[in-house]
Amino acid sequence: MPTNHTYARTANELTHDDLTASVPELIARSRYPMQVFDDKAALYKWLAREMADELSARNAQGAPTRWLLPVGPKSHYPMLAEICNRERISWRSVYAFHIDEFLDWQGREIPPSHPFSFRGYCQANLYDLLDPELRPLPENIVYPEIRDIDAYSERIAAEGGLDTVFAGFGYRGHVAFNEPPSTRWHKYSVAELAASKTRVVPLLQDTIVAHSHRTTGGYTQAIPPMALTVGMADILAARRIRLLTDGGPWKQFIVRVVALTTEPDVDYPVTLVHGHPQVDIAVDAASAAPIPLGLEP
């Protein structure tokens, strides 16, 4: 961490200068190594290359690759499949733990054919695109399962823990669907959230609004209202955490919260990575842009 900058403890202590600092200033002051790409396409291209190189290196070592994978970001997956096919990078030793999945209003898993299914998206845009001889074993593609909710963490532990978490984070600071858990009636501590396990969660109302704004033209009824999510305990136990976002104006504030604060904060779950020994951040330029803090001209 740079030593020539005084960091805010929490999001509420960010100053006007923190919020309006230019992208080069933000990179220089970030408590974590930060890469900012010109646009989302450049971010996806870099991420696909990074993942392919990590897998290739672990294959060369004869080591398994144990990844925690999001859908969000997601557009790099076809690029990753293309690189692996071209360079013959095998996924046979990959254990792919997928980070979450939507549930319907009754808490049932949505089918892979559902337009919002993360399982369906990854099957069509990653695994089906890999040449058959390069694909991971089906039993090593792991999703949280509502019928045996503890099996997910048990499988991670059985395979030796996670090497890398590729963690997209939302504008409220959620990682996977670890959203701020406080309600009017219940409050939870940092320690409780950090120890959270795989579980069923109802989505926050503003999360549903944000999803609908970006994907359904504001039609909230189309967004599944519940989800299964990996807990923060498994995320924080990973050997490396790579924080990623491509949300543009939706993410300008939370990017600065991650980069310029020091204390874990339940209101912004992504800040629970503070204190982890190996974290880095990669975002598009629109997500890292200064916050205007005023009415449009």
Side-chain angles (χ1 to χ4, degrees), residues 34-48:
M34 174 183 279
Q35 296 189 73
V36 177
F37 295 88
D38 288 343
D39 52 32
K40 292 191 288 187
L43 172 64
Y44 303 147
K45 182 177 180 181
W46 167 84
L47 181 55

Side-chain angles (χ1 to χ4, degrees), residues 135-181:
R135 293 173 187 168
L137 299 175
E139 60 267 28
N140 293 340
I141 302 172
V142 184
Y143 289 85
E145 297 287 349
I146 199 167
R147 294 172 184 82
D148 189 356
I149 207 162
D150 289 325
Y152 189 83
S153 294
E154 292 168 357
R155 182 68 186 279
I156 290 173
E159 302 304 343
L162 297 166
D163 298 304
T164 305
V165 172
F166 296 93
F169 57 98
Y171 89 105
R172 286 288 302 271
H174 61 269
V175 180
F177 278 119
N178 289 285
E179 298 183 318

Side-chain angles (χ1 to χ4, degrees), residues 187-264:
K187 305 296 181 184
Y188 299 94
S189 67
V190 166
E192 286 174 310
L193 183 57
S196 60
K197 300 179 180 181
T198 307
R199 64 197 186 281
V200 174
V201 293
L203 302 190
L204 297 180
Q205 292 183 21
D206 51 357
T207 296
I208 293 173
V209 170
H211 273 288
S212 71
H213 179 82
R214 298 180 66 184
T215 62
T216 67
Y219 179 47
T220 56
Q221 187 68 27
I223 309 299
M226 302 179 71
L228 267 170
T229 185
V230 62
M232 289 301 300
D234 285 322
I235 293 171
L236 297 175
R239 287 174 274 279
R240 183 180 191 182
I241 299 175
R242 311 203 76 167
L243 297 176
L244 311 161
T245 199
D246 58 357
W250 281 98
K251 305 294 181 67
Q252 288 168 276
F253 176 65
I254 195 62
V255 166
R256 286 161 192 263
V257 171
V258 175
L260 300 177
T261 65
T262 64
E263 299 302 316

